[in-house]
């Protein structure tokens, strides 16, 4: 069977080497005589997996011992409510930057626990650009939350914005490890791992110790960051296989190097955006060039009929996962780390072939 070119937004493409290693471990994990699927979560081997994965996250993000690193259940959305549960007091306020559907969902979840202030929003323009970062940030906020890369609409904050001493929390689900980045500016960052870092259902989180001291209410241990830290992410039966796949991804990222990954990602994105900017059939969703995501490239075609025809052409040519999110429509091509330049070239050739017929 033909291997598909996978441009899905998540679960996303994984490198063939990682899939191969994961398959080997399913068969037999090292010299344990067990499959990784049978491996005890409180055994020595899994403790080694946790330790190496945390070490690699520290190394790749440049974090010192002031940060605690956790692998938690529940993907991205569980962080949407764990953050306010832990850090937003009932009579307190948190600031949210609303730059897309994920940011909006995060602030909706937070409103269950305390007051939420929307500090900036680009919702009225259907998130076609980033909102202007607020010039003033109230000092009394428990934290400011934002989304570094807006997966659905295809916008991205290129630098870490200034939060004026208020703890800054970033949802980095779709662009973690995609580029050089100053992670030490954050009091906390997190990522659902099914994009650049593995399989669904898990979140990688890094939290600075000063923020961990500010837990606002009594919580059941599963939902408490300090309780999870105390048990080193193994409070209950951990997702052993999923965390192992993330370790394989971290090793792959380290071997390739973030600088090389960033260079490749820029090349992929530039190839696609320049095809879109020159096109008479396709229109990029984000017009403000400085705001464009290097990871998720969104665009539309002339009309619904033309979109259907292009989708069919892609399917015939073994491309999957380019339909836009249900709230944005059109197309979305996700260029995660595991997607290679040749796949993007293949897509651009099809776009050009399609255009020459449509014109
Ligand atoms: C994918 C994604 C999420 C949601 O992750 P789930 O694991 O499906 O809950 C959250 N935030 C961003 C920015 C995402 O891209």
């Amino acid at each position: 069977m033909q291997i598909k070119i996978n441009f899905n937004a998540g679960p996303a493409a994984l490198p063939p080497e990682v899939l191969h290693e994961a398959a080997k471990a399913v068969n037999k994990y090292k010299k344990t005589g067990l499959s990784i699927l049978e491996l005890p979560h409180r055994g020595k081997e899994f403790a080694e997996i946790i330790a190496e994965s945390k070490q690699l996250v520290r190394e790749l993000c440049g974090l010192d011992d002031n940060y605690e690193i956790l692998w938690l259940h529940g993907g991205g959305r569980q962080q949407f409510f764990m953050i306010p549960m832990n850090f937003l007091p009932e009579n307190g306020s948190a600031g949210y930057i609303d730059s897309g559907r994920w940011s909006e969902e995060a602030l909706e979840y937070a409103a269950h626990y305390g007051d939420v202030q929307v500090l900036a929003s680009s919702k009225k323009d259907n998130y076609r650009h980033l909102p202007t970062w607020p010039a003033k940030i109230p000092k009394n906020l428990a934290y400011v939350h934002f989304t570094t890369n807006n997966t659905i609409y295809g916008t991205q904050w290129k630098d870490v914005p200034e939060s004026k001493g208020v703890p800054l929390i970033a949802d980095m689900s779709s662009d973690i490890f995609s580029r050089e980045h100053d992670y030490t500016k954050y009091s906390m960052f997190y990522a659902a791992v099914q994009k650049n870092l593995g399989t669904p259902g898990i979140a990688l989180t890094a939290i600075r110790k000063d923020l961990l001291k500010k837990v606002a209410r009594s919580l059941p241990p599963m939902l408490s960051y300090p309780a999870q830290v105390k048990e080193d992410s193994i409070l209950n039966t951990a997702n052993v296989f999923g965390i192992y796949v993330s370790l394989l991804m971290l090793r792959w990222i380290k071997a390739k190097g973030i600088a090389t990954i960033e260079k490749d990602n820029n090349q992929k994105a530039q190839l696609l955006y320049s095809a879109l900017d020159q096109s008479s059939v396709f229109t990029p969703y984000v017009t403000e060039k400085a705001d464009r995501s290097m990871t998720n490239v969104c665009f539309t075609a002339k009309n619904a009929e033309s979109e259907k025809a292009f989708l069919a052409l892609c399917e015939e040519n073994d491309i999957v996962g380019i339909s836009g999110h249900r709230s944005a429509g059109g197309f979305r091509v996700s260029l995660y780390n595991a997607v290679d330049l040749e796949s993007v070239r293949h897509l651009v050739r099809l776009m050009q072939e399609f255009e020459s017929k449509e014109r």
Side-chain angles (χ1 to χ4, degrees):
M1 199 174 54
Q2 177 67 36
I3 299 278
K4 304 285 186 190
I5 295 178
N6 183 5
F7 288 119
N8 260 307
L14 293 170
E17 308 90 295
V18 166
L19 294 177
H20 178 76
E21 275 295 306
K24 252 176 42 188
V26 166
N27 212 13
K28 202 170 288 150
Y29 186 67
K30 290 188 164 171
K31 292 202 169 77
T32 58
L34 298 176
S35 160
I36 185 95
L37 304 180
E38 304 168 320
L39 203 68
H41 61 294
R42 299 200 192 276
K44 165 173 140 308
E45 286 81 13
F46 188 58
E48 284 167 7
I49 290 171
I50 291 278
E52 186 187 345
S53 66
K54 283 171 47 173
Q55 180 48 38
L56 282 171
V57 170
R58 268 186 216 291
E59 207 178 309
L60 291 166
C61 298
L63 305 180
D64 61 18
D65 288 346
N66 267 318
Y67 286 83
E68 297 287 359
I69 292 154
L70 294 168
W71 297 100
L72 298 172
H73 296 283
R77 279 183 188 78
Q78 179 153 318
Q79 297 310 301
F80 292 177
F81 58 85
M82 276 183 79
I83 290 165
M85 274 178 147
N86 281 266
F87 302 132
L88 174 54
E90 207 173 312
N91 54 1
S93 286
Y96 277 74
I97 309 294
D98 176 23
S99 57
R101 183 57 201 138
W102 292 123
S103 313
E104 193 186 30
E105 206 165 311
L107 76 88
E108 287 165 1
Y109 280 35
H112 289 271
Y113 301 97
D115 175 55
V116 166
Q117 293 183 26
V118 180
L119 302 176
S121 174
S122 51
K123 185 174 180 170
K124 69 170 176 25
D125 295 330
N126 291 322
Y127 302 116
R128 277 177 191 275
H129 57 83
L130 291 173
T132 305
W133 190 266
K136 285 207 183 97
I137 294 187
K139 286 269 172 275
N140 65 333
L141 296 178
Y143 60 84
V144 172
H145 177 281
F146 82 116
T147 314
T148 50
N149 183 72
N150 299 285
T151 325
I152 294 175
Y153 305 91
T155 59
Q156 183 177 36
W157 299 93
K158 298 288 150 46
D159 301 308
V160 182
E162 185 48 62
S163 63
K164 317 257 164 78
V166 176
L168 186 59
I169 301 182
D171 175 358
M172 299 199 67
S173 293
S174 49
D175 67 350
I176 194 162
F177 302 126
S178 67
R179 55 184 170 146
E180 310 262 22
H181 197 72
D182 189 354
Y183 294 88
T184 65
K185 294 256 172 73
Y186 300 120
S187 290
M188 170 176 177
F189 59 90
Y190 65 96
V193 308
Q194 68 271 24
K195 279 115 190 204
N196 264 335
L197 206 55
T199 61
I202 302 175
L204 168 66
T205 72
I207 313 174
R208 225 169 51 201
K209 285 178 180 162
D210 54 348
L211 184 61
L212 274 170
K213 288 198 188 107
K214 293 185 187 160
V215 170
R217 53 174 67 71
S218 162
L219 291 167
M222 280 298 284
L223 296 172
S224 151
Y225 292 123
Q228 291 282 0
V229 166
K230 200 162 152 248
E231 301 296 329
D232 206 8
S233 309
I234 323 181
L235 200 154
N236 73 329
T237 315
N239 185 339
V240 173
F241 180 61
I243 296 169
Y244 178 64
V245 175
S246 286
L247 171 61
L248 295 177
M249 282 304 296
L250 288 164
R251 286 182 188 155
W252 182 87
I253 291 164
K254 186 185 169 184
K256 190 161 176 186
I258 298 274
T260 307
I261 286 174
E262 176 169 0
K263 193 168 109 303
D264 289 358
N265 284 341
N266 279 331
Q267 214 181 346
K268 292 183 295 188
Q270 266 161 29
L271 182 65
L272 190 48
Y273 280 120
S274 79
L276 289 171
D277 285 333
Q278 287 162 32
S279 173
S280 53
V281 172
F282 300 104
T283 313
Y285 188 79
V286 178
T287 43
E288 194 63 56
K289 288 189 182 174
D291 291 354
R292 285 176 176 173
S293 168
M294 293 289 123
T295 307
N296 309 96
V297 180
C298 300
F299 54 97
T300 51
K302 272 196 291 199
N303 51 44
E305 205 174 311
S306 149
E307 287 185 353
K308 223 172 118 189
F310 182 63
L311 197 62
L313 178 69
C314 286
E315 277 167 9
E316 278 161 34
N317 286 276
D318 297 310
I319 286 177
V320 298
I322 63 161
S323 288
H325 186 270
R326 55 190 185 274
S327 60
F331 301 101
R332 167 175 53 177
V333 173
S334 297
L335 306 174
Y336 295 115
N337 293 347
V339 172
D340 64 4
L341 183 63
E342 196 38 55
S343 300
V344 185
R345 287 207 178 104
H346 181 60
L347 175 69
V348 168
R349 276 194 298 268
L350 287 179
M351 288 167 74
Q352 287 159 352
E353 180 190 321
F354 186 74
E355 279 187 52
S356 64
K357 279 190 243 152
E358 282 274 298
R359 249 198 307 264

